Amino acid sequence: IGLNIIGLAGEWLTATANTNMFTYEIAPVFIVMEEILLKKMYEIIGWDESEADGIFSPGGSISNLYSVLVARYKRYPEIKTKGMAALPDIVLFVSEHSHYSVKKAAAVLGIGMDNVIAIKCDERGKMIPSELEGNILKVKRQGKVPLYVSATAGTTVYGAFDPLTNIADICQKYNLWMHVDAAWGGGLLLSRRHAHKLSGIERANSVTWNPHKLMGVPLQCSAFLVHEKGLLQACNQLCAGYLFQPDKQYDTAYDTGDKSIQCGRHVDVFKLWLMWRAKGTQGFEILINRFLELTEYLYKQLKKRKHYELVFDAEPELTNVCFWYIPPSLQKIPRGSERERRLHQVIAPKIKARMIEEGTTMVSYQPHGNNVNFFRMVFSNSATKKSDIDFLLEEIERLGKDL
């Protein structure tokens, strides 16, 4: 992930202040900073700040949980007092390449994982809109209520972007809440060269965006953004008398703690505010463009080298690059079950084990769908150079050539 020195300074000063984010009187500066940053993020997405709301949360999984919580409350406000027994069977839709956090949210919120339907993706990892529409119609025929779609802007493994405009059309047609999980890919909104990949995000009802990923902010820093002012407050507020008195001498709209499912809330905004002040939007753009340039360099190197194969032969959309190393012993073995067995059980796991033993480098591997274990390189460290990429590829060959 790397480390930004300005972000680190922000983290140190946050720890020094050691305060809480529930009321303005306890954290006035940080509350105002959060409001400023959220307004900037609404603007970048394409929302009017007067119609939007948001909160910083402890990571993308909790931000995605907020999206399900708020979507359910919007359709069925009685859930807050009467519970799930008062509701019909509701169904959520995700892509088969989506992050597992939406399923986890369904389990936590009592919706149940069986009521989360994974929509088929194309070979590039993008949700297929016609598959989504077909599944919505199927659920309606079963007498259940299709409630919510989570589209992904930057999937965890392939770094794919779902077709947001097409998904927005379907959500509008069938009155479903549209959430965009841009935890990973949201940073591309800051790059004029790459922001088009998130075209349609402005039509979302809610968005998850993690500055601690592509923007390089120290962990943790995640924003949940919703395109309806007041909804977070209505969904979560309990008006605890010892914290949220309505007759304070200041505007109690700044007591943002009742929008949260937490009571105590860590200050995650100061390090982001400090970095944004230091870098500016242009500084983040330069950083993100650099990551994508390194990604393109790795992609081209893999295409040139005879001992490597790409999992899919298409230019990466984000900084994820997925590939196999094919040692000399497998070069002459035709594609088939024996070759795949050795790639899966021997090549990737043994190279990774040797990497850890040698301590020279580390890159993750995993299977995905029908693809056996492959390496997945992801760029999000500002210190990475092209020479590091060359070293990685040469090291994989050195460690795996005898397998």
Side-chain angles (χ1 to χ4, degrees):
I1 294 174
L3 183 63
N4 179 276
I5 197 69
I6 295 164
L8 178 62
E11 193 73 274
W12 280 344
L13 289 166
T14 297
T16 306
N18 194 32
T19 192
N20 209 319
M21 284 288 282
F22 40 55
T23 62
Y24 178 79
E25 58 199 332
I26 296 298
V29 174
F30 296 140
I31 292 279
V32 172
M33 282 179 176
E34 182 174 53
E35 181 184 47
I36 289 166
L37 288 168
L38 288 169
K39 283 180 177 178
K40 184 70 177 171
M41 294 169 97
Y42 308 148
E43 176 195 326
I44 290 166
I45 288 169
W47 295 344
D48 189 317
E49 68 175 60
S50 65
E51 299 170 350
D53 206 348
I55 200 159
F56 279 77
S57 81
S61 290
I62 301 299
S63 291
N64 284 343
L65 184 144
Y66 270 116
S67 73
V68 179
L69 188 68
V70 169
R72 184 178 64 176
Y73 178 81
K74 172 69 175 173
R75 178 81 67 94
Y76 301 106
E78 63 271 25
I79 182 66
K80 189 171 176 179
T81 50
K82 300 189 186 309
M84 284 297 290
L87 269 58
D89 287 336
I90 58 178
V91 177
L92 317 177
F93 301 89
V94 298
S95 97
E96 62 182 354
H97 288 222
S98 67
H99 193 264
Y100 66 85
S101 54
V102 176
K103 267 194 173 180
K104 187 170 277 193
V108 170
L109 297 173
I111 294 166
M113 293 192 299
D114 287 350
N115 289 314
V116 181
I117 294 177
I119 304 301
K120 193 176 176 190
C121 294
D122 63 20
E123 69 286 344
R124 182 63 188 80
K126 298 170 181 283
M127 186 191 290
I128 301 170
S130 60
E131 291 281 337
L132 172 63
E133 186 164 21
N135 274 277
I136 290 169
L137 293 170
K138 182 180 176 183
V139 162
K140 287 168 80 77
R141 285 194 299 270
Q142 292 169 346
K144 297 180 179 181
V145 178
L147 176 76
Y148 161 108
V149 176
S150 178
T152 309
T155 58
T156 308
V157 179
Y158 285 178
F161 289 80
D162 287 338
L164 302 182
T165 299
N166 293 342
I167 292 168
D169 289 341
I170 292 167
C171 288
Q172 188 175 342
K173 181 177 178 180
Y174 296 103
N175 190 31
L176 272 72
W177 182 278
M178 179 182 170
H179 176 65
V180 176
D181 178 1
W184 178 213
L188 290 195
L189 289 167
L190 300 170
S191 166
R192 285 164 290 186
R193 194 182 302 166
H194 297 287
H196 66 91
K197 295 168 186 175
L198 292 97
S199 178
I201 195 171
E202 71 283 352
R203 295 177 62 187
N205 298 101
S206 58
V207 172
T208 291
W209 180 354
N210 286 7
H212 72 226
K213 294 190 185 293
L214 211 52
M215 294 168 71
V217 178
L219 284 160
Q220 62 195 18
C221 190
S222 174
F224 171 67
L225 311 160
V226 59
H227 199 190
E228 183 174 335
K229 212 169 190 69
L231 194 57
L232 257 177
Q233 186 89 8
C235 179
N236 294 322
Q237 72 177 355
L238 287 176
C239 304
Y242 72 97
L243 281 177
F244 305 112
Q245 303 91 358
D247 54 353
K248 292 179 181 178
Q249 80 274 23
Y250 59 83
D251 180 358
T252 55
Y254 285 100
D255 286 353
T256 56
D258 230 7
K259 293 195 291 190
S260 169
I261 56 175
Q262 303 164 254
C263 177
R265 190 159 65 95
H266 187 262
V267 178
D268 292 329
V269 296
F270 181 57
K271 56 199 170 190
L272 173 59
W273 183 88
L274 203 62
M275 284 178 67
W276 217 316
R277 290 288 293 177
K279 284 177 173 289
T281 303
Q282 188 177 11
F284 280 123
E285 180 179 31
I286 290 165
L287 175 72
I288 289 160
N289 286 346
R290 172 74 178 148
F291 289 151
L292 271 292
E293 286 160 13
L294 289 168
T295 306
E296 185 181 11
Y297 178 77
L298 173 58
Y299 168 72
K300 287 180 175 173
Q301 285 296 310
L302 291 166
K303 283 181 74 80
K304 279 198 295 192
R305 297 185 184 223
K306 70 174 184 177
H307 291 297
Y308 289 96
E309 279 183 21
L310 289 153
V311 172
F312 49 85
D313 191 5
E315 281 206 24
E317 291 186 296
L318 200 44
T319 75
N320 309 45
V321 185
C322 302
F323 60 92
W324 289 286
Y325 170 66
I326 313 294
S329 67
L330 292 186
Q331 289 287 325
K332 294 188 171 74
I333 296 180
R335 291 174 184 274
S337 57
E338 175 57 20
R339 184 178 187 264
E340 299 219 326
R341 184 192 66 78
R342 290 186 60 189
L343 280 172
H344 186 73
Q345 294 179 4
V346 179
I347 308 304
K350 287 207 169 176
I351 290 175
K352 175 70 175 284
R354 289 176 178 182
M355 281 179 183
I356 293 168
E357 286 163 10
E358 298 258 347
T360 50
T361 187
M362 190 162 70
V363 61
S364 67
Y365 70 84
Q366 68 278 297
H368 200 57
N370 295 324
N371 289 317
V372 297
N373 277 329
F374 55 84
F375 290 110
R376 174 174 61 105
M377 184 67 186
V378 179
F379 295 96
S380 61
N381 185 335
S382 59
T384 307
K385 306 182 292 294
K386 287 182 180 178
S387 58
D388 297 319
I389 296 169
D390 294 334
F391 173 77
L392 170 73
L393 297 180
E394 283 152 20
E395 187 68 357
I396 289 172
E397 290 192 41
R398 182 181 76 82
L399 295 170
K401 64 187 176 187
D402 64 333
L403 294 174

